[in-house]
Structure formats: structure tokens, C-alpha cells
Amino acid sequence: MPIVLRRVHDSDLPVFFRQMNDPESLEMAAFTPKDPTDRDAFDAHWQTMRASSDVLRTILADGDVVGSAAVYGRPGEREVTYWVDRAYWGRGIATEALSALLSEVPERPLFARAAADNAGSLRVLAKCGFRPTARAVGFANARGGETEEIVLRLET
Ligand SMILES: CC(C)(COP(=O)(O)OP(=O)(O)OC[C@H]1O[C@@H](n2cnc3c(N)ncnc32)[C@H](O)[C@@H]1OP(=O)(O)O)[C@@H](O)C(=O)NCCC(=O)NCCS
């Protein structure tokens, strides 16, 4: 499915909020905000990110807002993240969006983290050239417990 990345508009935020409150998506992503239903916290978080040097992009498919993708964090430790509306899963959107984001952001290395059982995300990262470098255990809010995660690195 052909996609376009563009800068985030204010009107995208309610769409992201809905997408990021889907229970199946939250369970999959695992490492999520403490209370994803807290709209004030969500807005404050996006306001901080939009004022930073993070690269935040809205994913459009056929003109619809179908998700978001970002490069965030401190120089030298920058990580990628993405989220696709569940209604659009399995159409190659995350893979295409991450590839487009990586073309836009030349700095390397870049890092990523995914729950060890997030097969979809790990596959997206592998297809875009990320390689696993470490395993860690962290508290996953969406699961209310310790969860294993994989750290990945993109060199070129
Ligand atoms: C993970 C996520 C981004 C994948 O988005 P998507 O647009 O469906 O991914 P794609 O269609 O590009 O799929 C890429 C590959 O992953 C595979 N895949 C996708 N979801 C999968 C799943 N749940 N289980 C196993 N494989 C999966 C696809 O089959 C495809 O592999 P292939 O090319 O070898 O056939 C999406 O499910 C999502 O937003 N999940 C919730 C948020 C999240 O987990 N974000 C990442 C945090 S680290």
C-alpha cells in the first residue's frame, strides 16, 4: 500500500490517541504509557516531542491518517518507533513507513526496542536492516509486569 510521511498536524493527535488506545495494539507494544487513556498526559507528551529535535511523522495511506513514526532521543542514542492503526495491519505500511523515515534521517547508528514477543515489530525492524544486539527486561505498563525486550541497532 503506497504511503506518504508528512509532519504531524494538530488534527492528527485525536486520531493517534484513538489508535494508541486499541487494547490489542497496547498488549503488543507492551512498553506503553502508564495510563494511555489520560488525554492530558498524551497531549503534554506530544507537545514536548513536537518542541524537541525528534523527527515525528504522520503516516498517510490514500490520504487517511493510518499511524505515526518517529526518531527520538538524544544524539548518539536515537531510537525509532512507530504505530499503525489496527484496521491497517498486514499491508506493509509499517515497513514502508520505517523505510521512508530512515531515508529521511541519515544519522546512524539508530536503535530500536521491541517486546521479545512482538513478532510484527521485530519483522518490520529486520526488514529495514536492524539487527538484535541485546536483551533486557523492563516493566511493561500494558502488561502490568516485567517483560523481555530486544534492543536492535541499525548501522548503515
Ligand atoms: C507492529 C506493527 C507496527 C506492524 O505494522 P504492519 O503495518 O502490520 O506491518 P507490516 O504489514 O509492514 O508487516 C511487516 C512484516 O511483519 C509481519 N507481521 C506483522 N504483524 C505480525 C504479527 N502480529 N505476527 C507476526 N508477523 C507479523 C508481516 O507478515 C510482515 O512480514 P513479511 O513481509 O515477511 O510477510 C503494528 O502491528 C502495530 O502498530 N502494533 C502496535 C504498536 C507496536 O507494537 N509498535 C511497535 C512498538 S516496538
Side-chain angles (χ1 to χ4, degrees), residues 28 82-84 89-92 94-95 113 118 120-121 123 127:
M28 190 175 178
Y82 38 80
W83 198 290
V84 172
W89 286 2
R91 303 186 201 181
T95 306
R113 292 169 178 270
N118 190 343
S121 187
R123 180 79 184 121
K127 288 177 80 175

Side-chain angles (χ1 to χ4, degrees), residues 24-26 28-30 80-86 88-96 113-115 117-125 127:
E24 200 177 320
S25 305
L26 286 163
M28 190 175 178
V80 299
T81 186
Y82 38 80
W83 198 290
V84 172
D85 188 329
R86 186 151 63 88
Y88 291 86
W89 286 2
R91 303 186 201 181
I93 289 175
T95 306
E96 220 192 302
R113 292 169 178 270
D117 59 6
N118 190 343
S121 187
L122 289 168
R123 180 79 184 121
V124 169
L125 291 164
K127 288 177 80 175

Side-chain angles (χ1 to χ4, degrees), residues 2-66:
I3 62 103
V4 169
L5 294 188
R6 65 148 166 75
R7 294 176 76 89
V8 174
H9 297 171
D10 291 345
S11 59
D12 300 336
L13 298 183
V15 184
F16 294 163
F17 184 70
R18 177 183 57 74
Q19 292 168 346
M20 292 178 162
N21 266 288
D22 170 62
E24 200 177 320
S25 305
L26 286 163
E27 172 69 19
M28 190 175 178
F31 298 95
T32 57
K34 216 172 241 172
D35 179 6
T37 67
D38 183 340
R39 183 60 202 260
D40 290 339
F42 176 90
D43 286 340
H45 179 61
W46 276 88
Q47 197 175 359
T48 305
M49 289 194 298
R50 290 173 83 188
S52 74
S53 59
D54 294 354
V55 180
L56 310 172
R57 294 291 179 261
T58 295
I59 310 169
L60 298 177
D62 280 340
D64 290 330
V65 174
V66 298

Side-chain angles (χ1 to χ4, degrees), residues 116-151:
D117 59 6
N118 190 343
S121 187
L122 289 168
R123 180 79 184 121
V124 169
L125 291 164
K127 288 177 80 175
C128 291
F130 283 80
R131 297 291 169 251
T133 57
R135 283 177 174 258
V137 174
F139 189 85
N141 287 321
R143 300 182 185 178
E146 303 273 289
T147 297
E148 192 175 22
E149 67 177 342
I150 298 185
V151 182

